[in-house]
Amino acid sequence: MTITGIIPARYGSTRFPGKPLAMIGNMTMIERVYRQAEKSTRLHSVFVATDDQRIFDTVKSFGGHAVMTSADHQTGTERCAEAVSFLPDNTDAVINIQGDEPFLEPSQIDKVAELLLNSEVEIATLIRHASGMEEVSNPNAVKAVMNQNGRAIYFSRLPIPYYKNEIPFEQRCYHIHVGIYGYKISTLKEIVNLKPATLELAESLEQLRWIENGYSIHAALTNENNRAVDTPEDLERLKENLRL
């Protein structure tokens, strides 16, 4: 199976404009993400999909692959779908790699790719165990509930499942969604044409649109807690912790 990694990257982030070009040590954020993705043993190639000439030129300057996409896309999924038109016809699947996780482990990309090798898998992602109730209560940490076959039943910003009886945290089953997606090409072309649905509008979670329309999302468990950068303050904390 031919799998390509795509890193959607836009300049105009509301909370952190120019985030892909922010420096982390001696590299921009987008280069750090790209270099991590290159280490995957399952990807045949890696591309940055952007709507900004500055990001495009930066990727080209360090020898990376980049494609220009529309500035009208609302989600990374939409940007990935347009980027597919630039890929070789024999591409079977793509993995949407978050452009704000500069220390994403290549093994996590490999786990998503391994899920995609299963003919029954339409969409693949990752989950991890929650670190504590503070994280579970944080609406920005999306919770996932899975069935016994590894398929997602629901995603929510609320703490789910709800435990009616008080039991220690260690006995509870809370999973946090890790925002990396793999899609079969045929599935990706279908889901970008779906309209926002009731559950997605309620929770502001794109993946609920797919579930509500009957698509299945398979998830693998990862032990890594990625350091996502949403704001300039996140970046400063990251650099301080890593002494960069």
Side-chain angles (χ1 to χ4, degrees):
M1 176 178 284
T2 301
I3 304 175
T4 294
I6 299 178
I7 307 169
R10 63 190 182 95
Y11 191 90
S13 168
T14 302
R15 290 187 288 177
F16 194 167
K19 181 167 57 173
L21 302 183
M23 296 301 297
I24 303 176
N26 61 350
M27 285 188 200
T28 59
M29 184 171 320
I30 194 63
E31 182 173 359
R32 284 192 179 272
V33 175
Y34 194 98
R35 296 303 183 201
Q36 290 299 98
E38 277 189 316
K39 297 174 186 176
S40 166
T41 62
R42 297 288 189 177
L43 296 181
H44 289 72
S45 58
V46 180
F47 283 82
V48 172
T50 185
D51 60 357
D52 190 273
Q53 191 66 45
R54 290 163 290 189
I55 296 173
F56 182 91
D57 291 343
T58 296
V59 175
K60 289 294 187 179
S61 72
F62 64 72
H65 302 294
V67 295
M68 288 293 292
T69 53
S70 170
D72 297 329
H73 294 313
Q74 299 300 308
T75 66
T77 303
E78 292 177 5
R79 200 171 301 283
C80 283
E82 183 184 352
V84 165
S85 64
F86 296 95
L87 302 181
D89 292 338
N90 67 340
T91 305
D92 299 299
V94 298
I95 295 181
N96 178 347
I97 300 165
Q98 297 294 317
D100 59 4
E101 295 186 355
F103 297 99
L104 172 75
E105 289 292 333
S107 60
Q108 293 180 300
I109 299 173
D110 293 344
K111 282 189 175 185
V112 175
E114 286 161 11
L115 284 174
L116 290 169
L117 296 176
N118 185 330
S119 61
E120 295 182 0
V121 173
E122 300 171 307
I123 305 169
T125 192
L126 296 177
I127 58 173
R128 62 174 174 79
H129 293 298
S131 60
M133 281 307 301
E134 181 178 356
E135 182 175 46
V136 172
S137 300
N138 181 355
N140 294 318
V142 176
K143 275 64 67 175
V145 174
M146 315 300 297
N147 70 13
Q148 293 183 357
N149 296 318
R151 296 188 184 188
I153 299 172
Y154 195 69
F155 295 88
S156 181
R157 297 184 182 279
L158 288 172
I160 56 171
Y162 169 75
Y163 285 86
K164 182 178 179 180
N165 299 315
E166 286 294 328
I167 60 174
F169 177 81
E170 293 74 19
Q171 297 178 25
R172 301 186 183 198
C173 184
Y174 289 122
H175 288 116
I176 303 298
H177 182 222
V178 178
I180 180 173
Y181 291 109
Y183 327 88
K184 299 285 177 58
I185 294 293
S186 57
T187 300
L188 177 58
K189 290 179 178 179
E190 292 173 0
I191 62 176
V192 292
N193 291 316
L194 299 174
K195 301 298 182 184
T198 304
L199 299 176
E200 177 190 6
L201 294 173
E203 298 253 20
S204 190
L205 296 173
E206 179 190 19
Q207 61 268 42
L208 293 177
R209 183 190 316 186
W210 312 332
I211 291 177
E212 195 166 358
N213 279 277
Y215 290 87
S216 61
I217 303 175
H218 287 72
L221 185 66
T222 178
N223 294 320
E224 303 294 337
N225 187 353
N226 297 341
R227 304 180 184 93
V229 176
D230 293 320
T231 66
E233 292 75 22
D234 290 340
L235 179 59
E236 291 308 310
R237 280 193 294 269
L238 176 63
K239 289 163 67 174
E240 183 178 339
N241 290 339
L242 297 174
R243 298 180 180 178
L244 291 173

